Amino acid sequence: MSLPYSKSERVNLSTAEVLLACGDPEGLNILAEMFAGFGVHTPRRCLTGMESRTSVQERILNLIVVDSALQDQTGYDFIQWLRRSDIAPNCYAPVILLTGHTKPSQIFKGRDAGASFVVRKPVAPLVMMQRILWLLNDQRKFVTSPGYCGPDRRVKALGPPVGTKGRRHDDLSAEVGIATTPNLGQDEIDALFNPKAAV
């Protein structure tokens, strides 16, 4: 696992292998121009899910950006195929799903298909770069289960809902143990809220 991205570092995407999949040729050209501005000069450009599958099998990819509407299938179906394909390491690659429909049901559908991020169209270059930088820092684990395959859908590590037992081995217990040291006195608590300069 690589170290998290630092804001003081520069991001160089010139050597990144990027797959851009969009069913609309004009939309695909716009995406390619945007990524050329990011330094990606030869992305894999695909109009169909079949072309995208071939690209996934031929090269190791660093990022996949797929539109929700391809010419022969939906982007959701392609992402589900990718996550269950066992074509390592591409099946674990970050996937940004682009969609013009941002109703909660469509966002949940993209998340449940295995997308790392769902972005609303039309997408501005600044927003796309922010999402790429977010994915560089993404420390979520990859989950494989009968009903879902993809990055952990929990973005925040808040643990399981109150009153339920966690399903993962690293979930923290909701039980609070017995204190091992005496409680703070009122003067000590007040001192925490009103610190005084050391002399």
Side-chain angles (χ1 to χ4, degrees):
M1 177 77 55
S2 60
L3 292 173
Y5 167 76
S6 167
K7 291 182 180 179
S8 63
E9 296 178 49
R10 293 192 59 145
V11 177
N12 181 4
L13 297 179
S14 63
T15 59
E17 286 287 344
V18 179
L19 170 66
L20 303 177
C22 180
D24 173 35
E26 189 174 319
L28 187 58
N29 287 337
I30 291 170
L31 269 177
E33 289 175 14
M34 181 188 303
F35 276 84
F38 298 158
V40 181
H41 298 294
T42 55
R44 307 282 166 226
R45 298 166 57 147
C46 302
L47 291 166
T48 66
M50 191 57 66
E51 291 174 358
S52 303
R53 290 179 186 209
T54 302
S55 292
V56 166
Q57 293 167 346
E58 290 176 348
R59 287 208 176 267
I60 294 175
L61 301 167
N62 303 113
L63 175 67
I64 299 170
V65 180
V66 60
D67 193 276
S68 60
L70 302 176
Q71 288 186 353
D72 60 348
Q73 68 178 140
T74 68
Y76 307 102
D77 292 336
F78 169 73
I79 295 170
Q80 284 181 325
W81 169 84
L82 172 72
R83 294 306 191 200
R84 299 229 178 248
S85 69
D86 292 330
I87 302 173
N90 289 341
C91 61
Y92 307 113
V95 178
I96 297 176
L97 174 69
L98 304 177
T99 179
H101 307 286
T102 52
K103 297 183 295 188
S105 62
Q106 295 302 106
I107 294 171
F108 296 152
K109 184 177 178 181
R111 179 201 65 186
D112 293 343
S116 307
F117 224 111
V118 179
V119 178
R120 180 176 55 118
K121 295 189 304 185
V123 57
L126 177 62
V127 172
M128 180 62 78
M129 182 52 77
Q130 287 172 339
R131 299 310 177 254
I132 292 170
L133 294 178
W134 189 89
L135 288 170
L136 284 173
N137 277 319
D138 188 14
Q139 300 293 314
R140 292 179 294 169
K141 294 180 181 176
F142 200 84
V143 176
T144 302
S145 69
Y148 174 74
C149 191
D152 191 341
R153 292 178 283 196
R154 297 183 303 181
V155 176
K156 298 178 182 176
L158 300 177
V162 175
T164 62
K165 185 179 179 200
R167 296 179 296 167
R168 293 174 177 82
H169 72 281
D170 58 349
D171 280 336
L172 298 176
S173 171
E175 300 294 323
V176 177
I178 299 172
T180 56
T181 58
N183 292 335
L184 294 175
Q186 190 59 48
D187 292 338
E188 293 169 310
I189 294 172
D190 292 341
L192 290 173
F193 291 103
N194 298 314
K196 296 180 181 171
V199 180

